[in-house]
Amino acid sequence: MSDAGFSSCPSIETRGFGKSVQVRLASKFYGDFAALKDVTLTVNPGEFLTLLGPSGSGKTTTMMAIAGFTELSSGAILIDENRIDHLPPNRRNIGVVFQHLALFPHMSVADNVAFPLRMRGVPEDKVRLRVRRVLELVELPTFGERLPSQLSGGQQQRVAFARAVVFDPPVLLLDEPLGALDRKLRENMQAELKRLQRQLGITTIMVTHDQEEALTVSDRIAVMSNGQLEQIGSPEELYQYPATPFVADFVGDSNRIVGTVRTVAGDTCTIVTAGAIECIGKKRNWDDASVAALVVRPERVLVGREVGAVANRFNGVIENVNYAGDSIKYVIRISREDTLVAKVRNAPHHSRLHVGEATVVGWGADDAVVFTPANSLGDYRN
Ligand SMILES: Nc1ncnc2c1ncn2[C@@H]1O[C@H](COP(=O)(O)OP(=O)(O)OP(=O)(O)O)[C@@H](O)[C@H]1O
Ligand SMILES: [Mg+2]
């Protein structure tokens, strides 16, 4: 797409006008039930932060509180150090794309996009100019006269995005903006969203419960569970160094092996499972306890000829094979009580293993983390 069209409209193409957003000790009660409990987080200017978590974990509540559609029971919300939680939504200057805030069906695309400007009393000649430029930005310059029903799902999402950014908000909230799209379109839109957000420099908070989407588009991810923040960090931090078993489980796939603590030496811990499997990994958020959970990613589990001289090495039998195109997942039984999932790249040199085949499986001590129950949500013992 050419940038030429924006040269006389610096506000649309200028990066870096995003402002910081702070949520401080935010709580929201419905009767006795806490939908949010003391959530504190800071989103930096221009940053793309994703709220990730299971259904009911408080993601939408957080967004609604920032946007001003939900009043907090306690806590504060600041934009650029200024408290905004006493302001009505239309005075917070925040762009929103919420799943339930669909396009106005009876209005043309151009009128939909113009709506926030007309609400703000922007003169009509400026409205037309801005609408044209924003529709160019989302690559729908010729769609202004159509009705939303004459657009594809992805085009509707782009119009919703255009409507949310047309008034140059420094902050943009996206609640499951791509939820209704099929996988292929969703992936294209993720890239599109990221490009537009970068181009505009808007501080963006997005909700998703799709962890792959979160890992792809975010500068940082905040993982929520039960109305609380579990961990906040870059995609890589969350994936490589999950702070809790919940995060390890929720972000990416993982094998979780529960056992009794046998030895603790330096930064490693050895556990023994009910199936008498002895395995070792790195301690994480350690708290002395007799029972611990070792977590290892399926792609770190080596199989067959790949297994070298690693600290964890077991004989096993292939119990299941799941073919996923670019990768193959093996379920491998290593004791009467224990199975492991190994994810192997489907490379030409990989010789396929079959159900019932005996094999060797293993991983390095550095590739597994061991948590104690005190750091977990208490629900991980199978
Ligand atoms: N108006 C309300 N009255 C009572 N409880 C509510 C209300 N709104 C939300 N809740 C509860 O608050 C909790 C958090 O809801 P929220 O909508 O923030 O979840 P979410 O993380 O967005 O989930 P989802 O992924 O399903 O959209 C849920 O248990 C929900 O039932
Ligand atoms: Mg929600």
Side-chain angles (χ1 to χ4, degrees):
M1 192 185 70
S2 150
D3 279 342
F6 306 125
S7 53
S8 59
C9 187
S11 52
I12 284 190
E13 65 168 353
T14 305
R15 287 179 49 101
F17 66 86
K19 294 183 175 172
S20 69
V21 179
Q22 291 179 57
V23 177
R24 286 191 191 160
L25 288 173
S27 294
K28 176 67 185 176
F29 288 92
Y30 293 106
D32 288 343
F33 175 75
L36 281 187
K37 276 174 274 184
D38 292 339
V39 169
T40 293
L41 62 92
T42 299
V43 194
N44 300 314
E47 187 176 32
F48 198 126
L49 181 98
T50 298
L51 301 182
L52 180 68
S55 183
S57 56
K59 305 179 299 291
T60 294
T61 306
T62 304
M63 300 287 263
M64 298 284 270
I66 297 171
F69 300 121
T70 290
E71 199 181 336
L72 288 175
S73 307
S74 59
I77 292 165
L78 296 87
I79 291 187
D80 243 11
E81 309 293 332
N82 301 313
R83 271 190 82 157
I84 56 151
D85 41 271
H86 58 284
L87 295 175
N90 60 356
R91 295 200 39 222
R92 296 190 182 194
N93 210 20
I94 294 175
V96 295
V97 179
F98 281 175
Q99 213 165 8
H100 60 276
L101 290 181
L103 298 173
F104 306 118
H106 56 286
M107 280 189 199
S108 70
V109 165
D111 286 340
N112 263 282
V113 176
F115 187 79
L117 298 175
R118 294 195 173 125
M119 288 280 288
R120 286 167 171 77
V122 174
E124 212 36 46
D125 54 332
K126 281 218 173 100
V127 169
R128 274 196 295 276
L129 194 69
R130 306 263 319 155
V131 168
R132 187 163 59 80
R133 294 213 163 116
V134 175
L135 287 178
E136 277 172 15
L137 181 77
V138 298
E139 296 180 342
L140 295 171
T142 61
F143 284 67
E145 296 312 310
R146 291 208 200 176
L147 289 171
S149 59
Q150 297 168 316
L151 301 177
S152 74
Q155 288 164 344
Q156 289 181 28
Q157 296 285 354
R158 279 189 271 164
V159 176
F161 183 88
R163 189 177 62 178
V165 301
V166 72
F167 58 100
D168 278 351
V171 175
L172 178 65
L173 304 180
L174 306 166
D175 193 347
E176 303 256 1
L178 311 178
L181 306 180
D182 66 49
R183 187 186 160 91
K184 195 78 206 147
L185 187 54
R186 202 179 161 108
E187 281 172 6
N188 291 341
M189 285 297 295
Q190 284 167 6
E192 187 77 347
L193 197 63
K194 184 77 188 168
R195 180 185 68 78
L196 289 168
Q197 189 265 343
R198 280 242 174 86
Q199 192 170 341
L200 297 174
I202 303 186
T203 308
T204 301
I205 309 176
M206 183 176 87
V207 165
T208 183
H209 55 240
D210 178 339
Q211 42 124 332
E212 237 179 86
E213 183 166 294
L215 292 170
T216 308
V217 301
S218 318
D219 295 317
R220 282 189 307 157
I221 300 172
V223 180
M224 296 190 69
S225 133
N226 291 328
Q228 288 177 302
L229 205 59
E230 280 277 314
Q231 187 176 2
I232 182 162
S234 69
E236 198 173 349
E237 274 165 357
L238 257 63
Y239 193 77
Q240 303 283 7
Y241 309 106
T244 65
F246 177 83
V247 175
D249 262 357
F250 201 75
V251 180
D253 295 333
S254 59
N255 289 289
R256 200 171 51 188
I257 301 168
V258 177
T260 314
V261 175
R262 163 69 53 89
T263 47
V264 178
D267 62 349
T268 62
C269 173
T270 304
I271 65 168
V272 183
T273 71
I277 291 293
E278 192 171 313
C279 49
I280 182 168
K282 291 249 172 186
K283 291 186 302 188
R284 180 84 176 127
N285 284 0
W286 196 252
D287 208 352
D288 279 338
S290 57
V291 178
L294 179 143
V295 171
V296 56
R297 302 284 184 200
E299 69 271 19
R300 297 296 173 97
V301 177
L302 307 167
V303 193
R305 276 180 285 169
E306 306 283 318
V307 188
V310 286
N312 300 280
R313 198 185 152 96
F314 309 101
N315 293 320
V317 175
I318 304 289
E319 199 165 88
N320 212 338
V321 181
N322 292 314
Y323 180 77
D326 58 349
S327 66
I328 300 169
K329 273 187 188 164
Y330 294 111
V331 180
I332 303 150
R333 181 156 293 281
I334 54 171
S335 83
R336 207 159 43 87
E337 307 285 338
D338 304 289
T339 55
L340 281 170
V341 177
K343 184 176 172 187
V344 177
R345 212 162 66 80
N346 192 10
H349 67 265
H350 175 69
S351 51
R352 287 275 274 283
L353 298 160
H354 302 282
V355 173
E357 198 172 332
T359 188
V360 182
V361 59
W363 67 91
D366 286 351
D367 289 327
V369 279
V370 187
F371 300 95
T372 46
N375 298 313
S376 77
L377 295 175
D379 62 353
Y380 71 85
R381 275 186 251 198
N382 297 319

